[in-house]
């Protein structure tokens, strides 16, 4: 691999086209660019609001609305209005089921490890598609403003996002027609916006306190020689400004004897009043308003009492983060405030008192992450003179999985040296050998990428499908040599290859591959979603067949017959090429099978208990 300056010559992609910075938030998203040498957020066509509510609405025909317009639909058509999709990125239903009540739309609850899907009318969407819609909206906002196509972006994610969540964010960008040059951490972006890296040669320790609408994150960063390292993160994925609004509402209900039970619209109206009161109290000493012919109000003192338990929870997380980073409060050099909720003066004072330090709050806390992303984008565009020269992977590296899909293990633009690993398993009972094919490129189907090599992991001890745990690790050393190692973790069987020669690629080839991937993003992702649905369906068909065989005695013929019919109906959809039809058939089969599975489990357990006396 060659040394690549960060201002990559992208071939046909014009070098001086703009790279945007995007804060893809849980509650609100923003896009920023560098204009007149300053980072600036891009506002709506009226030039008023930079914030775009992260909400997507689908009407009955499948048309989409995003942002403020979609927000209006929250009350009227909650089942068609998707909010907080960031919480679902890279998650399975297992991951989120304890919070299911939080979502007013329908999340498909097949109890598997597969990624969540959302059902709107008779269509199914995954979080990547939904985030893609928000990104598309932000992209077109910039294009309208500058009268030029936008193709490249830097997108921020929380520091705690794992590989799957980061990859999902990249895919969302791709779906929106954006080449995502880099995913950076939100706290890192905030520090960049404050220019903390510019004022000093010395190593610095930075605490970034981010309280948004529904989430709280505290991150401790170490900045040394222009490189940020995350020392620790902590927080609460269900704590934020929304909780303050709810507490104010409840306080009013008690104080004024309001009755909003059983009335969703009234509850919503009260919530909005509470949010307004909260915002006004950031400037005034007291507020009063009317609700249903009653005069209601709130003083700062009352408000601060309401906020205290929420602030205390955030400070407890700060303590955890400090402990994990093995630091004392006094060792923190800078405290940065991020997120709309940090506008509350009482909160500022509390955080400042906690760290014993004045906080950085001169930038708009809503905008600071997007501004930092734009600065990072500008560095990548090579417009910052003192840019770094780093070794990076020019294209994504991954392996082929079932159905010919590309599974990325090291994304493009990763700094080297680097290593990353993922676990896989077998798809056939008793499978002894596993072929591992290594590819390079950005397309979703390996047939469109470049093959770098392949090898076979042999002599896997015979086990049922899905049981072996096979770790595939990609290791790139400082010289850019890629080693791929496969290891069956139960038997420790290992096999590896080293890839040198075919690995390098000319800049023209690279530019072509990148361009192709953008051009084909829509169809690629559609094909990928279809293949994934087919894989999942095949898996379900197999396990249903097993289930029917094993439970002949437990159920009457009728139930098993019906189950068999639903299974065959699912099989019939496989060749249709219609993802929605497959999903629908899976859903039917699953909802019929689920109670049967529980029953079968109970029978198994009681069988197992027989002959085993508990108090022996
Ligand atoms: P996220 O990072 O989750 O997308 P934001 O950073 O956009 O969220 O923060 C949104 C939250 O900030 C909302 O709960 C909103 O009520 C709150 N907020 C915005 N302005 C103020 C203000 N002036 N005072 C208090 N809270 C505010
Ligand atoms: Mg945020």
């Amino acid at each position: 691999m060659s040394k690549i300056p960060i201002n990559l010559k992208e071939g046909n992609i014009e070098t001086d086209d703009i790279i945007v910075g995007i804060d893809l938030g849980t509650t609100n998203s923003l896009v920023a660019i560098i204009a007149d040498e300053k980072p600036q957020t891009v506002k709506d066509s009226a030039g008023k609001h930079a914030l775009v509510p992260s909400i997507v609405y689908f009407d009955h025909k499948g048309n989409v609305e995003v942002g403020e317009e979609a927000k209006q639909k929250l009350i009227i058509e909650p089942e068609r209005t998707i909010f907080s999709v960031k919480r679902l990125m890279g998650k399975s239903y297992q991951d989120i089921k304890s919070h299911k009540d939080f979502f007013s739309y329908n999340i498909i609850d097949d109890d598997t490890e597969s990624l969540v899907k959302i059902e709107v009318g008779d269509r199914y969407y995954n979080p990547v598609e939904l985030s893609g819609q928000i990104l598309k909206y932000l992209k077109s906002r910039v294009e309208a403003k500058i009268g030029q196509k936008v193709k490249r972006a830097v997108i921020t994610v929380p520091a705690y996002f794992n590989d799957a969540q980061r990859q999902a964010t990249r895919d969302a960008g791709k779906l929106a027609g954006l080449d995502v040059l880099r995913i950076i951490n939100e706290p890192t972006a905030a520090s960049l916006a404050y220019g903390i890296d510019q004022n000093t040669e010395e190593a610095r320790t930075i605490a970034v306190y981010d309280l948004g609408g529904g989430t709280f994150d505290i991150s401790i960063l170490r900045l040394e020689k222009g490189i940020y390292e995350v020392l620790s993160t902590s927080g609460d994925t269900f704590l934020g400004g929304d909780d303050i609004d709810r507490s104010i509402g409840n306080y009013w209900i008690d104080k004024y004897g309001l009755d909003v039970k059983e009335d969703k619209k009234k509850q919503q109206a009260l919530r909005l009043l509470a949010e307004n009161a909260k915002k006004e109290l950031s400037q005034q000493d007291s507020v009063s308003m009317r609700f249903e012919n009653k005069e209601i109000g709130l003083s700062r003192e009352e408000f601060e009492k309401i906020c205290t338990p929420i602030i205390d929870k955030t400070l407890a997380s700060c303590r955890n983060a400090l402990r994990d980073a093995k630091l004392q409060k006094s060792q923190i050099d800078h405290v940065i405030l991020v997120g709309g909720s940090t506008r509350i003066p009482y909160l500022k004072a509390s955080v400042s008192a906690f760290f014993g330090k004045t906080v950085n709050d001169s930038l708009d806390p809503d905008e600071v992450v997007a501004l930092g992303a734009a600065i990072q984008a500008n560095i990548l565009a090579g417009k910052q003179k003192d840019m770094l020269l780093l070794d990076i992977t020019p294209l994504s590296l991954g392996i082929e999985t079932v159905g010919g899909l590309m599974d990325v293990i090291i994304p493009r633009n990763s700094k080297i040296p680097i290593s990353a690993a993922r676990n896989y398993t077998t798809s056939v009972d008793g499978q002894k050998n596993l072929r591992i094919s290594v590819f390079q490129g950005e397309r979703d189907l390996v047939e469109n990428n470049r093959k770098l090599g392949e090898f076979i992991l042999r002599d896997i001890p015979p086990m049922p499908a899905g049981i072996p745990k096979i770790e595939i690790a990609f290791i790139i050393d400082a010289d850019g040599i890629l080693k791929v190692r496969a290891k069956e973790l139960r038997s420790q069987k290992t096999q590896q290859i080293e890839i040198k020669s075919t690995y390098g690629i000319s800049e023209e080839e690279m530019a072509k591959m990148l361009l192709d991937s953008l051009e084909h993003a829509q169809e690629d992702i559609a094909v990928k979603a279809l293949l994934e649905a087919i894989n999942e369906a095949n898996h379900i068909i197999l396990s249903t067949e097993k289930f029917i065989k094993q439970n002949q005695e437990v159920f009457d013929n009728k139930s098993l017959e019906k189950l068999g019919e639903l299974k065959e109906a699912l099989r019939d959809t496989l060749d249709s090429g219609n993802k929605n039809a497959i999903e629908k058939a899976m859903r039917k089969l699953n909802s019929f099978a689920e109670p049967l599975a529980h029953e079968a489990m109970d029978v198994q357990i009681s069988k197992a208990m027989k002959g085993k006396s508990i108090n022996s």
Side-chain angles (χ1 to χ4, degrees):
M1 176 185 317
S2 55
K3 276 231 164 179
I4 297 161
I6 287 185
N7 61 343
L8 288 171
K9 282 213 194 70
E10 306 271 20
N12 321 21
I13 304 176
E14 309 96 90
T15 38
D16 59 336
D17 77 353
I18 197 142
I19 308 180
V20 297
I22 294 178
D23 171 4
L24 185 60
T26 310
T27 320
N28 295 301
S29 297
L30 301 90
V31 56
I33 54 174
I34 305 282
D36 306 327
E37 300 189 359
K38 270 206 327 265
Q40 299 178 11
T41 54
V42 181
K43 302 204 163 70
D44 58 10
S45 55
K48 272 192 152 158
H49 304 288
L51 291 182
V52 175
S54 304
I55 301 177
V56 183
Y57 162 80
F58 294 95
D59 73 7
H60 290 264
K61 291 186 193 133
N63 298 323
V64 199
E65 280 173 12
V66 173
E68 210 46 67
E69 270 138 46
K71 193 175 178 178
Q72 308 302 326
K73 302 292 194 315
L74 259 186
I75 315 176
I76 326 167
E77 288 183 274
E79 69 290 345
R80 298 189 153 270
T81 314
I82 319 296
F83 61 91
S84 275
V85 64
K86 189 174 178 178
R87 295 182 188 282
L88 304 176
M89 291 290 267
K91 295 282 175 94
S92 72
Y93 183 71
Q94 290 283 359
D95 294 331
I96 54 130
K97 67 176 174 194
S98 58
H99 291 292
K100 182 152 199 254
D101 290 344
F102 172 85
F103 303 96
S104 51
Y105 42 88
N106 197 15
I107 298 176
I108 305 295
D109 55 350
D110 58 359
D111 245 0
T112 64
E113 299 287 312
S114 55
L115 298 180
V116 294
K117 275 159 276 178
I118 292 137
E119 186 178 26
V120 181
D122 57 0
R123 282 167 178 263
Y124 297 84
Y125 301 94
N126 61 44
V128 170
E129 293 172 282
L130 297 164
S131 291
Q133 293 290 355
I134 298 171
L135 292 171
K136 217 184 257 176
Y137 182 90
L138 295 170
K139 173 176 182 268
S140 63
R141 175 181 276 197
V142 181
E143 287 173 344
K145 163 104 179 191
I146 63 172
Q148 194 185 321
K149 283 266 169 233
V150 170
K151 296 188 196 115
R152 300 186 291 170
V154 169
I155 305 179
T156 60
V157 296
Y160 60 77
F161 255 30
N162 63 23
D163 275 351
Q165 293 169 301
R166 283 167 200 261
Q167 188 56 40
T169 308
R170 276 177 190 278
D171 288 345
K174 196 160 154 188
L175 199 51
L178 288 169
D179 178 12
V180 181
L181 292 187
R182 193 158 297 178
I183 297 280
I184 66 169
N185 290 329
E186 287 160 12
T188 304
S191 322
L192 281 171
Y194 273 103
I196 289 179
D197 52 327
Q198 310 207 322
N199 307 329
T200 174
E201 279 290 291
E202 270 170 67
R204 307 260 92 185
T205 309
I206 307 154
V208 182
Y209 176 107
D210 181 349
L211 188 63
T215 55
F216 171 65
D217 300 314
I218 170 79
S219 314
I220 314 259
L221 308 178
R222 177 106 181 137
L223 167 68
E224 199 163 359
K225 301 199 177 86
I227 308 233
Y228 287 91
E229 184 191 355
V230 180
L231 297 183
S232 68
T233 65
S234 182
D236 187 333
T237 48
F238 283 89
L239 181 70
D242 299 345
D243 297 283
I244 301 180
D245 305 343
R246 209 169 303 121
S247 302
I248 295 175
N250 290 339
Y251 178 78
W252 278 340
I253 289 173
D254 283 352
K255 182 170 174 187
Y256 300 107
L258 309 177
D259 182 16
V260 298
K261 258 191 232 119
E262 321 281 327
D263 189 334
K264 283 245 154 73
K265 283 201 176 142
K266 273 192 200 171
Q267 286 168 12
Q268 196 69 11
L270 189 67
R271 203 191 61 73
L272 287 175
L273 271 188
E275 184 176 2
N276 283 337
K278 170 183 80 175
K279 289 184 180 169
E280 280 182 31
L281 284 171
S282 293
Q283 266 123 52
Q284 285 156 234
D285 286 338
S286 68
V287 288
S288 60
M289 35 209 19
R290 292 198 82 77
F291 181 75
E292 311 244 293
N293 300 325
K294 271 195 181 141
E295 178 91 16
I296 61 175
L298 199 64
S299 71
R300 259 227 180 146
E301 210 183 344
E302 292 170 300
F303 175 61
E304 290 177 357
K305 226 178 242 158
I306 290 172
C307 291
T308 299
I310 291 161
I311 296 176
D312 284 349
K313 271 194 197 165
T314 68
L315 296 181
S317 291
C318 291
R319 248 173 241 120
N320 290 340
L322 284 166
R323 190 199 56 213
D324 291 348
K326 302 194 175 58
L327 290 172
Q328 307 292 323
K329 290 175 192 171
S330 58
Q331 290 171 284
I332 302 290
D333 300 306
H334 301 273
V335 180
I336 293 179
L337 296 187
V338 180
S341 301
T342 62
R343 286 216 180 78
I344 299 170
Y346 178 60
L347 182 143
K348 269 188 210 181
S350 309
V351 176
S352 176
F354 175 85
F355 284 100
K357 202 161 266 103
T358 0
V359 292
N360 285 283
D361 64 347
S362 56
L363 293 173
D364 183 325
D366 287 328
E367 298 192 347
V368 48
V369 169
L371 296 176
I375 293 172
Q376 177 71 54
N378 203 43
I379 296 172
L380 291 176
K383 292 187 181 148
Q384 213 107 325
K385 281 166 219 82
D386 47 7
M387 62 167 181
L388 287 165
L389 216 64
L390 289 177
D391 280 327
I392 55 168
T393 55
L395 291 166
S396 301
L397 296 163
I399 63 162
E400 174 177 0
T401 55
V402 183
L405 285 171
M406 169 88 175
D407 204 32
V408 172
I409 296 187
I410 296 185
R412 68 179 286 245
N413 277 344
S414 298
K415 239 182 279 163
I416 66 165
I418 186 176
S419 67
R422 252 183 210 202
N423 287 340
Y424 297 87
T425 187
T426 52
S427 52
V428 182
D429 285 343
Q431 188 172 338
K432 279 208 282 215
N433 298 330
L434 185 72
R435 180 188 301 275
I436 291 130
S437 307
V438 182
F439 284 85
Q440 176 184 43
E442 309 311 308
R443 301 285 299 272
D444 288 313
L445 293 180
V446 292
E447 63 181 41
N448 298 318
N449 289 333
R450 263 171 55 109
K451 188 167 190 172
L452 295 179
E454 80 180 10
F455 64 102
I456 294 172
L457 177 65
R458 292 181 199 281
D459 300 329
I460 302 169
M463 285 179 252
I467 298 295
K469 249 194 170 171
I470 297 157
E471 182 195 76
I472 305 214
F474 277 43
I475 304 131
I476 306 179
D477 64 19
D479 298 323
I481 292 170
L482 168 66
K483 270 197 202 107
V484 178
R485 191 189 60 213
K487 187 180 195 180
E488 202 289 303
L489 296 176
R490 292 174 205 277
S491 61
Q492 297 289 314
K493 276 263 175 298
T494 306
Q495 188 78 38
Q496 77 171 34
I497 51 167
E498 202 167 278
I499 295 167
K500 268 181 285 195
S501 52
T502 48
Y503 183 36
I505 186 169
S506 75
E507 284 200 2
E508 289 85 70
E509 271 178 285
M510 196 172 86
K512 185 172 174 325
M513 289 177 82
L514 289 176
L515 226 52
D516 276 355
S517 79
L518 278 182
E519 222 163 80
H520 297 285
Q522 301 278 349
E523 51 182 288
D524 269 12
I525 290 187
V527 174
K528 183 176 170 183
L530 176 63
L531 282 174
E532 280 172 352
I534 292 176
N535 286 345
E536 197 182 338
N538 274 321
H539 182 72
I540 291 177
I541 289 173
L542 275 182
S543 44
T544 308
E545 282 169 352
K546 252 191 213 167
F547 183 86
I548 293 177
K549 227 189 258 164
Q550 285 167 355
N551 291 286
Q552 292 292 338
E553 282 128 61
V554 181
F555 300 106
D556 56 40
N557 276 335
K558 242 168 109 196
S559 305
L560 291 183
E561 238 165 60
K562 172 86 182 163
L563 192 60
E565 275 165 26
L566 288 171
K567 181 200 73 178
E568 285 312 310
L570 173 58
R571 199 197 298 277
D572 287 344
T573 62
L574 287 185
D575 292 330
S576 67
N578 180 343
K579 177 183 146 253
N580 281 318
I582 299 173
E583 305 260 17
K584 196 171 266 172
M586 269 198 283
R587 186 138 165 72
K588 267 200 189 147
L589 174 58
N590 272 335
S591 43
F592 185 77
E594 206 178 344
L596 294 184
H598 283 297
E599 222 175 292
M601 182 93 82
D602 290 343
V603 172
Q604 296 293 346
I605 291 174
S606 65
K607 252 196 209 158
M609 298 293 266
K610 263 184 212 149
K612 262 195 214 165
S613 142
I614 291 177
N615 43 8
S616 65

